[in-house]
Amino acid sequence: MTTPVTAEVDLAGRVVELTRSLAGAGAEAEVVAAHTAEALTRFANSAIHQNVADATTTVSLRLHLDGRTASGSTTVTDAEGLRSLVERTVAAARLSPPDPAWPGLTPPTPLPADAGYDEATAAAGPRERAIRVRDFVQAAEGLETAGFCRTAYASGAFANTAGHTVHGRSAEAAMDGIARLAGADGVARRAAGRLAELDGAALGARAAAKARAATSPVELPPGRYEVVLEPTAVADLLDNLASFGFNGKAYAQHQSFAELGAQQFDRGITITDEPLGATLPFDMEGTPRATLLLVEDGVTRAVSHDRTSAAEAGSASTGHASAASRSWGPIAANLHLAAGPIANAVPEPSAGPTASSARALVAGMRRGLLITDLWYTRVLDQKSLVITGLTRNGVWLVENGEVTAAVSNMRFTQSYPQALGPGAVLGVGAEAVAVPDRWSGVRYTAPALHLASWNLTGNASG
Amino acid sequence: MDHFDEAGAAVQAALDAGARYADARVMLRRTETMSARDGEVEDLSSDESAGLGVRALVGSSWGFYAVPDLSDAAARAAGRRAAEIAAASALVPGPAIDLVPAGAGTASWASPCEIDPLSVPLSTKGDLLVAATAAARDAGADLAEGIYQIWDTRKWFVSSDGHRIDQHIRECGAGITASAYGDGEIQRRSWPSHRGQYGTRGWELVDELALTDNAARMADEARALLTAPLCPSGETTLILGGEQLALQIHESVGHAIELDRILGWEAAFAGTSWLDLDRLGSLRYGSELMNITIDPTIPGALGSFGYDDEGSPAAPRDAVRNGIWVGVLAGRDSAAMAGLDYAGSVRSDGWARLPMVRMTNVGLEPGPHTLDEIIAATDDGVLMDINRSWSIDDRRLNFQFGCEIGWEIKNGKRGRMLRNPTYTGIGPKFWQSMDMLSSETVAWGTPNCGKGQPGQVGHTGHPAAPARFTNVRVGVRG
């Protein structure tokens, strides 16, 4: 496939040539030139209160020179800015201590076929986002609402001194909102490759239904409970597994629970990483991204690598290099938990709190909790991946397959791999839902999960 | 070379496009980060970012647009775009917006800096991290890591209220961590803090940290923790070291007193606050010992500045006085909406991000004791220090913290080292149980405070000293 000549390809190529001329033919350099545009319309108290957009081109250079490595970046892309970037990166490399872990450059490697991206999402204006916000607010029928609607676009090129040049584009959209009633919050959030797929009215109605069902909560005693986690909560499991468990650097440093080839999860668990969301089809080292099978039927098959962690682990890069991956490790950004077999649909009144992916699982739970969201989760021990955090945006007691009471938020302290371990997964929802990360442009795709045990260690009220 | 003209052009363009108020910031930022592992440099990055962000108020709606192009034409286009975005906001309008006064006029400010951190040779900085991590590794750490970070920021602010303010803020800091691997667990000790110490100072701050001198002790303690007894579970008297107390202040006071949270503007993400404005001036937040200040004028602390990103001059203010809640962190619009007459706590993490309510230096005034006196006065309890994990609910009430290290306190003496210490509680109940407070204050810097959508990383400072709390639940385990 021929790489199209775009502004970013031209920019990356010019920096490669500039580096050769200033650092000499022996320099190994890799350059990413990326134009990104992000726009986010935020609402609270049922009104748009923040409405922002930016468009930025960033050029990043990593240089290996005489056994030493340095990186740099700039948003100043005129000739003077680019020359300054190369000069200071060359100077930094010359003054740096030796880098024995340098993994070398990615050779010319074709990208997989372009999956395409949605031009309309890339070009969306503030009015299109505001319309979805208006629909969300109106669908909540007077409940107080808050959240955001986001669109993002990236066009990026990679070039290195080994002759590898690639270009790609991506676009994503996301909407995330809550409705509030008498101190109870309900949430609905979706990620999509096309803004047109986001239905503000449907999300607002879902959030409002959850909020209405969450009023007058009871307090339950701490303890181990059977739970159904909705996709919004499962996304947090995937986030932490990606950051600390499937992180190739943590794996190479023996800080991860991951053991390749071992049955570490229940047979119902299959996890892949997909090049979706705001992700370009290659990483910061130019390695093409492809679907990465991390867990297959409960067996850990792989972790995510950049070239450095791959070399340390005796493996190959999986296309997860980032500007920070040498320090923080290569982190998979778009984990996908495979849905379960088709289950009998369980009809539910629209006013009910249960997400569609969770309904069949709730129907099969004798006594346990339906949990919407996990919040402020932090690692207590990285190796066992024990995490503490709280529930948020709706918890309900389920008895004999029926939601019987709203429950106050609770704190949990739980090993995530243990919760998903062999025999611990009682059911996997039949519908995987794309959920946006609340912090960045990545997404997690997951069904609801029915788990045998979740360790709730306290009530949020004390 | 200054950039007032570009900022001014953006403001004028926004006004011409219908804005009734506009402000713009041009920011140039250079950052440098180096990390090392086990005696070798692992990563070195030197980054530069320059651009302009303009904010426009049309009617009662805000719009913000940012570009990296500092030409006059780009600045004017950005101003018009900000006004267009504001106009679109009116599709879902909110209440009328007023702005409290923010001083005015022309001003210039620079943070104190004895040794320009960007001028220190990279080889010198690299040698420091290499030596410190090698020392920890040689002393038995299974993994030794070190990092320094430098931020050099220049900004030019212009508003339609008449501001022309330029600032030069230099920040830096560093830290090391030694990890020891046991059977299915990892123990970790960090110096001087769990992510290092940072401030609005020059490289002299890093020199004072004595990273290499403390490396072997961190490795020793990490290994010792592998075989230390677990922190007991139950209610006890808790003594917190100053570094951990700094994060306790950040999470359970600093965020709770952010006015945008109190007004519900962060409800869907960062959360709200348990505080109710009707009780400002009367609500008991903590014991009589609790005096929390908001003070961006502290020389060298990480949350210091001359003017915030709305042009309000830095000024100290009480947040909690003798245990009573008396003040908030506010911006010009949120203060006006709440009926308050002060702002001064609005910042953004770069030219491409909307300024928002942020902590400056939110700290606890010192007490009369020393840590040794507090320990001597404690018959039975646990001392914990150096944060390991932190989590708090969306109203900033229920928290659970883990620390790297704990010690048993028996009969007024520090006893055995304790493994995996954690404690949990409810903010006001916890602060009301504070009964002893040390005078040994350090202004700890927190360089990774996340807030806002799109996400922003804030730099905050937290003066704190060791303190004692009664009847605290400790030893929560999974």
Side-chain angles (χ1 to χ4, degrees):
Chain A
M1 188 175 74
T2 305
T3 302
V5 179
T6 65
E8 291 78 38
V9 170
D10 175 65
L11 198 50
R14 280 196 284 139
V15 174
V16 166
E17 290 309 312
L18 191 57
T19 305
R20 278 200 179 104
S21 71
L22 292 174
E28 296 179 77
E30 47 193 21
V31 179
V32 175
H35 177 77
T36 58
E38 182 174 15
L40 190 143
T41 300
R42 211 168 180 213
F43 58 109
N45 300 316
S46 299
I48 293 174
H49 70 307
Q50 293 173 7
N51 205 347
V52 304
D54 70 272
T56 306
T57 298
T58 304
V59 179
S60 304
L61 165 67
R62 186 166 72 171
L63 175 67
H64 187 68
L65 185 63
D66 299 330
R68 299 157 195 272
T69 307
S71 301
S73 72
T74 188
T75 64
V76 183
T77 57
D78 58 16
E80 187 181 343
L82 298 179
R83 188 174 187 87
S84 170
L85 167 67
V86 175
E87 286 176 344
R88 80 182 135 85
T89 308
V90 169
R94 288 190 168 130
L95 284 169
S96 297
D99 175 17
W102 173 246
L105 298 177
T106 304
T109 313
L111 287 180
D114 186 357
Y117 86 111
D118 184 45
E119 188 73 50
T121 300
R127 183 171 174 80
E128 292 163 87
R129 290 180 292 275
I131 287 170
R132 285 167 175 79
V133 170
R134 181 197 63 194
D135 293 348
F136 188 104
V137 171
Q138 289 179 348
E141 297 180 325
L143 271 61
E144 186 181 299
T145 59
F148 72 78
C149 180
R150 174 181 73 208
T151 53
Y153 161 71
S155 174
F158 174 91
N160 67 19
T161 49
H164 180 37
T165 301
V166 284
H167 173 266
R169 291 184 298 185
S170 72
E172 69 107 14
M175 192 159 189
D176 181 349
I178 61 168
R180 324 191 76 199
L181 177 64
D185 294 351
V187 71
R189 63 175 73 100
R190 285 292 170 106
R194 295 158 50 88
L195 179 62
E197 294 172 12
L198 297 180
D199 183 339
L203 293 170
R206 180 99 288 275
K210 288 183 87 75
R212 290 191 186 96
T215 56
S216 304
V218 299
E219 279 204 350
L220 292 181
R224 290 195 169 273
Y225 286 82
E226 201 173 305
V227 294
V228 169
L229 303 181
E230 294 198 342
T232 37
V234 177
D236 184 79
L237 272 64
L238 296 178
D239 181 13
N240 279 292
L241 289 171
S243 298
F244 302 102
F246 302 133
N247 177 325
K249 183 182 179 187
Y251 172 79
Q253 292 180 173
H254 310 289
Q255 294 188 312
S256 162
F257 69 83
E259 295 176 30
L260 303 188
Q263 183 83 42
Q264 295 190 288
F265 298 92
D266 189 272
R267 291 189 62 80
I269 299 296
T270 292
I271 301 173
T272 54
D273 182 57
E274 312 279 359
L276 298 171
T279 308
L280 292 171
F282 50 85
D283 70 2
M284 292 288 284
E285 294 173 330
T287 303
R289 299 184 197 271
T291 297
L292 174 65
L293 179 62
L294 295 162
V295 178
E296 182 180 30
D297 300 330
V299 177
T300 304
R301 295 295 186 197
V303 295
S304 52
H305 282 300
D306 59 11
R307 292 177 66 81
T308 300
S309 72
E312 189 168 357
S315 185
S317 174
T318 57
H320 290 89
S322 69
S325 64
R326 276 199 124 190
S327 294
W328 300 103
I331 297 172
N334 298 291
L335 260 56
H336 177 284
L337 176 62
I342 302 298
N344 292 329
V346 177
E348 184 206 343
S350 61
T354 315
S356 59
S357 178
R359 286 174 196 159
L361 304 179
V362 166
M365 187 157 61
R366 191 185 65 78
R367 187 174 192 277
L369 298 176
L370 169 66
I371 295 175
T372 305
D373 240 347
L374 304 180
W375 165 249
Y376 217 127
T377 54
R378 290 293 183 271
V379 176
L380 293 182
D381 181 73
Q382 184 170 340
K383 185 77 175 177
S384 54
L385 205 49
V386 173
I387 301 246
T388 189
L390 298 118
T391 64
R392 191 175 173 186
N393 294 325
V395 183
W396 291 270
L397 178 65
V398 176
E399 295 173 294
N400 300 317
E402 299 285 339
V403 170
T404 55
V407 176
S408 298
N409 282 323
M410 300 183 79
R411 174 170 290 285
F412 66 89
T413 307
Q414 172 67 52
S415 162
Y416 279 11
Q418 183 186 61
L420 300 176
V425 179
L426 304 180
V428 180
E431 178 194 9
V433 177
V435 177
D437 184 88
R438 284 166 287 191
W439 179 255
S440 60
V442 304
R443 70 173 76 164
Y444 303 97
T445 309
L449 285 177
H450 183 183
L451 304 179
S453 179
W454 194 258
N455 188 26
L456 292 150
T457 48
N459 283 291
S461 59
Chain B
M1 176 185 177
D2 72 53
H3 291 279
F4 286 122
D5 288 348
E6 295 91 330
V11 167
Q12 188 57 53
L15 296 175
D16 293 344
R20 64 182 175 93
Y21 168 84
D23 59 33
R25 280 171 304 118
V26 171
M27 284 181 65
L28 309 181
R29 174 175 276 179
R30 288 189 63 189
T31 60
E32 185 179 288
T33 303
M34 186 186 291
S35 61
R37 175 167 56 131
D38 295 340
E40 292 175 355
V41 167
E42 186 166 57
D43 201 16
L44 164 62
S45 180
S46 173
D47 304 306
E48 180 179 39
S49 180
L52 174 149
V54 55
R55 189 172 67 148
L57 181 59
V58 177
S60 281
S61 298
W62 285 109
F64 175 84
Y65 191 67
V67 289
D69 187 343
L70 296 181
S71 67
D72 182 76
R76 291 184 187 282
R80 289 193 295 272
R81 186 74 181 273
E84 290 168 12
I85 292 172
S89 300
L91 198 64
V92 192
I97 291 176
D98 293 318
L99 302 175
V100 298
T106 300
S108 187
W109 188 84
S111 58
C113 179
E114 293 175 24
I115 304 171
D116 180 356
L118 290 176
S119 73
V120 176
L122 283 166
S123 54
T124 301
K125 292 182 277 198
D127 288 348
L128 171 65
L129 294 186
V130 165
T133 56
R137 179 78 177 191
D138 292 346
D142 290 309
L143 177 69
E145 298 167 294
I147 189 170
Y148 76 74
Q149 297 179 85
I150 299 165
W151 301 267
D152 186 313
T153 305
R154 295 172 187 267
K155 45 188 170 182
W156 293 264
F157 173 80
V158 171
S159 83
S160 58
D161 282 354
H163 294 96
R164 284 172 67 91
I165 297 169
D166 70 277
Q167 298 189 81
H168 185 190
I169 299 176
R170 285 182 275 199
E171 306 157 288
C172 69
I176 57 169
T177 297
S179 297
Y181 298 169
D183 183 16
E185 71 170 309
I186 297 168
Q187 293 295 336
R188 185 169 291 158
R189 287 290 288 121
S190 304
W191 178 266
S193 166
H194 70 291
R195 65 173 75 83
Q197 169 66 320
Y198 296 86
T200 51
R201 301 178 58 197
W203 193 252
E204 65 275 7
L205 180 155
V206 177
D207 285 340
E208 292 166 9
L209 299 178
L211 298 179
T212 307
D213 295 348
N214 288 280
R217 183 166 61 85
M218 293 300 103
D220 288 344
E221 291 183 356
R223 292 224 72 82
L225 280 167
L226 290 173
T227 54
L230 281 169
C231 175
S233 296
E235 280 199 0
T236 191
T237 298
L238 174 66
I239 302 169
L240 291 181
E243 189 262 6
Q244 172 56 33
L245 196 64
L247 197 60
Q248 179 80 47
I249 294 165
H250 178 98
E251 300 290 357
S252 72
V253 182
H255 279 304
I257 62 172
E258 290 169 347
L259 186 52
D260 55 347
R261 295 179 63 111
I262 294 170
L263 292 174
W265 295 357
E266 288 288 324
F269 177 53
T272 58
S273 172
W274 65 280
L275 296 168
D276 178 351
L277 280 174
D278 289 343
R279 300 186 67 192
L280 182 65
S282 63
L283 183 142
R284 176 154 292 283
Y285 209 123
S287 72
E288 288 279 339
L289 284 173
M290 186 186 188
N291 292 293
I292 299 278
T293 57
I294 301 163
D295 189 356
T297 70
I298 298 171
L302 192 62
S304 295
F305 49 79
Y307 299 82
D308 79 351
D309 284 340
E310 291 188 310
S312 298
R317 185 174 309 284
D318 283 346
V320 178
R321 180 54 55 190
N322 300 324
I324 303 298
W325 175 44
V326 295
V328 299
L329 295 151
R332 296 184 65 189
D333 54 356
S334 56
M337 195 162 290
L340 302 173
D341 62 359
Y342 58 85
S345 300
V346 163
R347 288 188 289 166
S348 83
D349 79 350
W351 54 268
R353 290 291 178 261
L354 178 73
M356 62 190 308
V357 175
R358 280 300 205 163
M359 279 178 244
T360 63
N361 299 308
V362 177
L364 180 64
E365 289 185 354
H369 300 291
T370 65
L371 175 60
D372 286 344
E373 289 170 350
I374 295 173
I375 292 171
T378 304
D379 290 334
D380 187 14
V382 175
L383 166 62
M384 300 184 193
D385 203 11
I386 307 297
N387 184 265
R388 183 172 176 180
S389 68
W390 63 101
S391 174
I392 190 164
D393 71 27
D394 54 301
R395 296 181 66 213
R396 299 283 149 174
L397 274 170
N398 176 285
F399 61 80
Q400 180 170 311
F401 290 97
C403 291
E404 288 185 355
I405 193 166
W407 290 272
E408 195 175 62
I409 304 296
K410 292 286 186 192
N411 302 316
K413 295 192 184 311
R414 189 189 300 220
R416 298 181 301 172
M417 190 180 286
L418 299 173
R419 178 165 53 111
N420 297 349
T422 60
Y423 68 99
T424 187
I426 301 294
K429 181 181 173 189
F430 176 81
W431 284 107
Q432 285 169 35
S433 79
M434 182 170 67
D435 70 346
M436 292 188 80
L437 178 57
S438 158
S439 61
E440 298 146 319
T441 294
V442 173
W444 294 99
T446 300
N448 65 334
C449 177
K451 189 179 173 186
Q453 292 172 311
Q456 299 191 40
V457 178
H459 293 183
T460 68
H462 304 288
R468 191 175 82 168
F469 303 82
T470 59
N471 302 316
V472 180
R473 184 183 170 200
V474 303
V476 181
R477 280 189 272 282

